Amino acid sequence: MTATLCEHRPSGVDAIRSARKRNSRRTRIVIPSLAVAVVGLFMVSVLLGSFTVTIPDFFRLLGGAEIPGATFIVMEHKLPRAVIAVLIGVAFGVSGTIFQTMLRNPLASPDIIGISYGASASAVFAIVVFGAAGATVSIAALVGALVVAAAIYALSRRGGVAGYRLILVGIGFAAIMTAVVNYLMTRTDVTTAQEALVWVTGSLNSSNWSRVSILGASLVLLLPIATALSRNLRGLEMGDDAAAGLGVPVERSRLGLILVGVALAAVATAAAGPVAFIAFLSGPIARRALGGKASLTAAAMVGALIVLAADFVAANMIPNVSLPVGVITGAMGAPFLLWLLVSTNRNGTAG
Amino acid sequence: MAIAPHTKRDPHADTLTIPSSPAAQDEAVSPVSPAGPAGPAVTTAPKAAGRSTRRSHNGLKLAAAVVVLLIFCAASLAFGARATSIDVVIEALTNFDPSNGDHAVVRARIPRTITGLCVGIALGLAGAAMQGVARNPLADPGILGVNSGAALAVVFAIYFLGVTNLTGYIWFAFLGAAVAAIIVYAIASLGREGATPVKLALAGAALSAGLASLMNAVLVSSKKTLDEFRFWQVGSISGRDWDLILPVIPFLAAGVVITMFTGRILNGLSLGDDVARGLGQKVGLTRAITAVGIVILCGGATAMAGPIAFVGLVIPHMVRTICGPDYRWILPFSAVAAPLLVIGADVVGRVILPPSEIPAGIMTALVGAPVFIWLVRRRKLVSL
């Protein structure tokens, strides 16, 4: 009896070991290929489109050479736009994954739980009431996002923040903020209303280097913190009690993760508006690509991919019309999410 | 509310000696065993008494709510840019004098009050039934894609067909709402375990966002469409004429009839599909029937007033704290409480910022959301 058990044990260990190996092999394949795809799409969006640049010309431009016509379009328009696309994709992807994993609910991304709506309401208020534009709107959005996030956190705190309560309070705030935005849109002339709508949809049309530097600096600060905290995230994913049992300081790490997640979503929203669906989608797509493992790195790259692809389509789909990128992310994202839902249902693994 | 558990907990409290509300005094008639603590009857008697007190309590509370609703309706007729006294309102209704300006004002407020009443009843019932059928406390016409379906259809009507009046929007809104709801339900039903709560909510959120994007694509490129649409989008019950109200009323009536009698079904479903099946329910069929009622109600309400946020979500939760978890009570209570909120919000919106008016759709969110947040904070939400 014991002999047979002993004989069987190695094969069980082997099975686990080979499964683990398969998983890590998958990670080793998926993450570099995502990185390659991001770089490829980045080059495509800079080089192709309404204005085409050859690769040698592009490197000469980077080196500081003056090519009449091309210098301005590439250096002042296309390049900052592509860089912003990558940066907000990374920020939204990481932020969304943090919330979804921590609260164990795919609905709990910043676009659903009210933070983006806070930014929208504040920005639209600035546009409509004060006639603000450019950086002022970004600052208003940032402040709005942070204030609403703080209010949501404070109101959902009651002897610790329960994930469910946080989502519900966030939905309450989202309703108020949406009402404010819709009301403000009726209280102004139609041109301003349209300007506000473009902002609310999320657009990269007003990207420039100063935005790149602000957003880049914020990410340099925030991403290492997110990486450091992601260890605790894996514990929280198993539920508060299990996490506490594993020695994770539940309340403290949750507060830290919320702060980082909110800050990431807020700086990205300030730079480009609340681009729909990136935070919502990146996490689930990355998780699926990795075979069920949550990974901030993969989610960040998926986020960047989505924004780059969507912006390329938005800028070039209709000649001479540059649609806001948010239109495309929403229109592409919805069917994808539905497909995700349906295909998981087939396997019978969905909740 | 506190009384029923009180009697249950303390079998010695014979004949409810400390009634805390006038309603409770009437209650003393119903038997809470003056027999006192004697014999085996004690263990069952307080329980049965608790149940019957709750039932007649709920009846009284419902009656009180109806009275409050009538008062709100009267207020809706009286208040506004030109306030009139209650006497004038009654006079205008019973003995209308066309030459009297006040009477004309009151008359002009009737359609708006009726709209508020219809929309409120529809949204309240639909919200309660939706939360029961989806077993999801977040279920709401807004979250399940109905509002965005209606909105996209209206944008389509404005942009492609040049429709520019509220009556013209009705059927587009109705159709859009119904199609969106059917798509969400169909997608969520795919797969082995059918339309589970999480799948419904996810499918609804996904579809909403997708439709909103299509809508925005049109709106950012067409100023004319945006100019029409932004006023529909806020959701309002003012400026609705009889030719907009009357065609929708038969649909709403059908929806009310279907939904109002699903209380027993929803009670079964709230125990989980397996238990409901064990109790002899045809889960798929009953769910589908309720869903039809919900779609008709939501579509009708949105066709009448545009997307009115939050009523369907917040009212059932508030009602549950008053009447308990029994859907046979939740449904009628929601049908009374929701028009209270809509009409109340509309009246407040009329007087809060004169001379301009804040539309009811904005006010319901501004009033409803804080209440909702307070509820979420105050207690563990009654789980479904």
Side-chain angles (χ1 to χ4, degrees):
Chain A
M1 191 69 200
T2 30
T4 48
L5 263 184
C6 285
E7 270 169 22
H8 277 289
R9 195 183 288 150
S11 77
V13 171
D14 280 348
I16 292 171
R17 192 174 290 153
S18 75
R20 272 199 193 138
K21 208 179 272 171
R22 214 179 308 131
N23 255 342
S24 69
R25 201 186 307 136
R26 190 162 179 168
T27 313
R28 275 205 300 272
I29 295 171
V30 167
I31 294 203
S33 28
L34 280 175
V36 169
V38 169
V39 173
L41 258 178
F42 182 86
M43 295 310 280
V44 165
S45 71
V46 175
L47 300 179
L48 302 179
S50 54
F51 185 88
T52 318
V53 193
T54 60
I55 294 177
D57 273 359
F58 175 66
F59 282 107
R60 243 180 290 150
L61 284 172
L62 280 187
E66 285 282 333
I67 303 175
T71 305
F72 179 76
I73 292 180
V74 173
M75 297 308 287
E76 294 304 319
H77 183 69
K78 287 183 132 190
L79 199 55
R81 187 182 178 118
V83 174
I84 290 263
V86 171
L87 294 181
I88 66 163
V90 167
F92 278 129
V94 172
S95 166
T97 312
I98 286 178
F99 279 105
Q100 287 167 334
T101 318
M102 179 176 63
L103 302 176
R104 275 171 297 143
N105 190 327
L107 281 177
S109 78
D111 20 3
I112 309 282
I113 64 169
I115 298 166
S116 309
Y117 293 93
S120 300
S122 167
V124 170
F125 190 80
I127 294 173
V128 168
V129 178
F130 299 115
T136 326
V137 180
S138 297
I139 293 167
L142 189 65
V143 172
L146 296 178
V147 167
V148 166
I152 292 173
Y153 184 78
L155 284 173
S156 51
R157 241 191 104 77
R158 205 183 148 198
V161 174
Y164 210 59
R165 208 180 306 141
L166 192 75
I167 297 173
L168 286 174
V169 171
I171 284 177
F173 268 92
I176 300 177
M177 297 301 152
T178 314
V180 169
V181 168
N182 287 345
Y183 181 64
L184 286 171
M185 300 255 266
T186 66
R187 306 297 298 171
T188 178
D189 62 292
V190 72
T191 311
T192 315
Q194 198 165 38
E195 202 182 304
L197 182 71
V198 168
W199 197 91
V200 168
T201 312
S203 162
L204 298 174
N205 288 354
S206 49
S207 303
N208 55 40
W209 285 114
S210 70
R211 271 187 203 189
V212 170
S213 52
I214 296 172
L215 183 57
S218 322
L219 292 194
V220 165
L221 190 72
L222 291 170
L223 288 179
I225 305 178
T227 318
L229 286 172
S230 65
R231 275 184 70 84
N232 296 345
L233 191 59
R234 296 210 63 182
L236 288 176
E237 194 184 355
M238 295 173 209
D240 293 358
D241 295 339
L246 289 172
V248 176
V250 172
E251 265 311 301
R252 202 143 36 90
S253 37
R254 204 201 304 266
L255 180 62
L257 284 164
I258 288 178
L259 283 177
V260 174
V262 166
L264 282 169
V267 292
T269 309
V275 186
F277 253 135
I278 302 163
F280 194 20
L281 277 184
S282 306
I285 294 178
R287 184 184 282 262
R288 223 175 142 75
L290 290 175
K293 210 170 71 175
S295 155
L296 292 183
T297 320
M301 287 193 233
V302 170
L305 267 183
I306 297 177
V307 184
L308 280 170
D311 190 48
F312 189 70
V313 174
N316 299 302
M317 187 172 64
I318 308 170
N320 302 323
V321 178
S322 192
L323 284 174
V325 64
V327 166
I328 306 295
T329 55
M332 289 196 320
F336 188 83
L337 187 74
L338 293 176
W339 172 78
L340 213 64
L341 203 64
V342 171
S343 61
T344 5
N345 286 350
R346 286 243 175 75
N347 307 335
T349 49
Chain B
M1 182 175 71
I3 289 157
H6 181 76
T7 57
K8 234 184 268 178
R9 224 177 291 125
D10 185 6
H12 302 281
D14 40 346
T15 63
L16 280 170
T17 42
I18 8 168
S20 56
S21 74
Q25 265 155 1
D26 303 351
E27 223 35 63
V29 184
S30 76
V32 182
S33 62
V42 184
T43 46
T44 53
K47 201 172 178 186
R51 205 178 281 157
S52 84
T53 29
R54 159 157 276 180
R55 193 173 301 157
S56 40
H57 267 244
N58 276 345
L60 286 172
K61 283 184 205 154
L62 191 59
V66 171
V67 171
V68 177
L69 179 58
L70 289 177
I71 295 172
F72 270 52
C73 287
S76 167
L77 293 176
F79 288 122
R82 181 166 174 178
T84 51
S85 72
I86 280 296
D87 305 344
V88 179
V89 171
I90 294 168
E91 213 178 292
L93 293 178
T94 53
N95 187 13
F96 181 60
D97 174 10
S99 62
N100 187 330
D102 279 347
H103 285 195
V105 168
V106 170
R107 281 261 153 156
R109 287 179 190 142
I110 294 176
R112 144 179 228 169
T113 310
I114 299 283
T115 310
L117 209 56
C118 293
V119 168
I121 292 172
L123 289 177
L125 270 180
M130 215 177 226
Q131 292 180 5
V133 96
R135 238 182 7 254
N136 186 334
L138 299 188
D140 166 77
I143 289 175
L144 292 191
V146 173
N147 282 348
S148 50
L152 181 66
V154 167
V155 168
F156 174 86
I158 301 171
Y159 184 68
F160 290 104
L161 308 174
V163 181
T164 55
N165 60 63
L166 289 170
T167 321
Y169 298 159
I170 296 182
W171 305 116
F172 289 99
F174 219 128
L175 198 71
V179 170
I182 291 167
I183 292 176
V184 166
Y185 200 84
I187 290 171
S189 311
L190 291 170
R192 239 186 359 197
E193 57 298 64
T196 60
V198 179
K199 284 196 285 179
L200 270 177
L202 272 177
L207 192 76
S208 288
L211 297 182
S213 296
L214 291 180
M215 203 173 81
N216 284 346
V218 174
L219 293 177
V220 295
S221 41
S222 164
K223 255 183 206 166
K224 215 172 124 262
T225 311
L226 176 64
D227 206 15
E228 292 290 333
F229 178 73
R230 60 187 176 142
F231 295 102
W232 182 83
Q233 189 190 20
V234 290
S236 167
I237 60 173
S238 75
R240 269 66 188 165
D241 294 326
W242 290 111
D243 59 345
L244 187 137
I245 299 169
L246 293 177
V248 183
I249 281 185
F251 287 93
L252 292 185
V256 169
V257 170
I258 295 174
T259 320
M260 195 61 102
F261 298 104
T262 55
R264 193 174 276 278
I265 295 174
L266 295 176
N267 279 346
L269 286 178
S270 68
L271 298 173
D273 285 5
D274 294 337
V275 178
R277 215 170 276 129
L279 291 171
Q281 273 194 24
K282 294 190 178 70
V283 172
L285 180 70
T286 52
R287 202 173 250 172
I289 291 173
T290 320
V292 169
I294 293 169
V295 168
I296 295 174
L297 289 174
C298 290
T302 313
M304 260 189 183
I308 289 201
F310 233 61
V311 177
L313 179 62
V314 75
I315 287 293
H317 285 297
M318 294 172 66
V319 158
R320 261 184 215 109
T321 65
I322 298 172
C323 72
D326 185 345
Y327 273 98
R328 285 171 299 177
W329 284 111
I330 291 178
L331 289 169
F333 265 100
S334 297
V336 179
L340 259 179
L341 176 59
V342 174
I343 293 176
D346 183 52
V347 173
V348 174
R350 259 183 261 173
V351 295
I352 198 170
L353 228 143
S356 71
E357 289 188 356
I358 298 183
I362 304 294
M363 287 308 294
T364 52
L366 294 185
V367 174
V371 175
F372 178 71
I373 292 171
W374 173 71
L375 272 176
V376 170
R377 267 182 66 75
R378 197 178 69 114
R379 50 149 52 207
K380 219 169 157 289
L381 282 178
V382 181
S383 55
L384 285 165

